[in-house]
Amino acid sequence: MSRRLLQTLLLGMVPFLGACAATAVPPPSPGTSPTAPVGRTTRVPRPTTPPRQAPQPSTTPGFQAPRIMDIPGLESVIGADSAGLQRQFGQARLDVREGDAQKLQFSGEACVLDIYLYPLSPGATPTATYVDARRSSDGLDVDRASCVAALKR
């Protein structure tokens, strides 16, 4: 083979050899942004969560104990069952059940109150563990304890 032909063949293979030399990019490590340039670390802010009470350990496979909201002014709501909540607020506007969970919605002129009930242990009666509140007029968030106070009978 002539030297010139060999050079032409080798130069023609350069683009293919470059493709073989490419290296895999490792996945971003925790606390880095996937769009940040290589070698730079960007902190991703963590969302804030309400204080959490430790759930009771479960020996039932697949059961996960719920987090229980702990906000001042909700003591009469958190931990109450469906009947107790309806004694406090009257007939629920909505009663939605999904699996062993339940959502009750109470509303008035001041606000709409959504109360989420989950069993604290396998087979237990669902009790209120989380509360959300918003204005009736435009759906903007309102103080949960104030909404509870406004809707109580």
Side-chain angles (χ1 to χ4, degrees):
M1 197 181 283
S2 76
R3 186 174 191 183
R4 185 169 198 115
L5 181 60
L6 186 58
Q7 284 178 337
T8 305
L9 282 173
L10 288 176
L11 286 175
M13 292 177 59
V14 168
F16 298 110
L17 293 173
C20 294
T23 58
V25 177
S29 60
T32 62
S33 170
T35 58
V38 175
R40 284 191 153 170
T41 302
T42 306
R43 286 274 173 210
V44 178
R46 288 186 171 180
T48 58
T49 56
R52 181 181 140 179
Q53 293 180 356
Q56 298 298 319
S58 171
T59 56
T60 303
F63 179 82
Q64 184 177 2
R67 291 183 181 180
I68 301 171
M69 181 180 266
D70 183 22
I71 295 178
L74 300 179
E75 296 84 4
S76 66
V77 174
I78 298 298
D81 64 6
S82 179
L85 292 168
Q86 293 196 45
R87 280 192 297 276
Q88 290 183 59
F89 302 108
Q91 184 66 35
R93 178 176 169 226
L94 273 175
D95 184 346
V96 180
R97 295 169 194 262
E98 186 174 327
D100 59 359
Q102 183 178 11
K103 171 188 167 184
L104 295 176
Q105 184 178 86
F106 301 94
S107 65
E109 285 186 40
C111 59
V112 176
L113 183 68
D114 293 316
I115 304 175
Y116 299 88
L117 298 89
Y118 296 94
L120 299 181
S121 60
T125 300
T127 58
T129 60
Y130 187 82
V131 175
D132 203 7
R134 62 189 177 280
R135 283 195 303 218
S136 300
S137 59
D138 58 10
L140 292 177
D141 290 343
V142 297
D143 180 69
R144 293 170 174 104
S146 298
C147 185
V148 165
L151 295 179
K152 275 197 174 187
R153 299 173 120 193

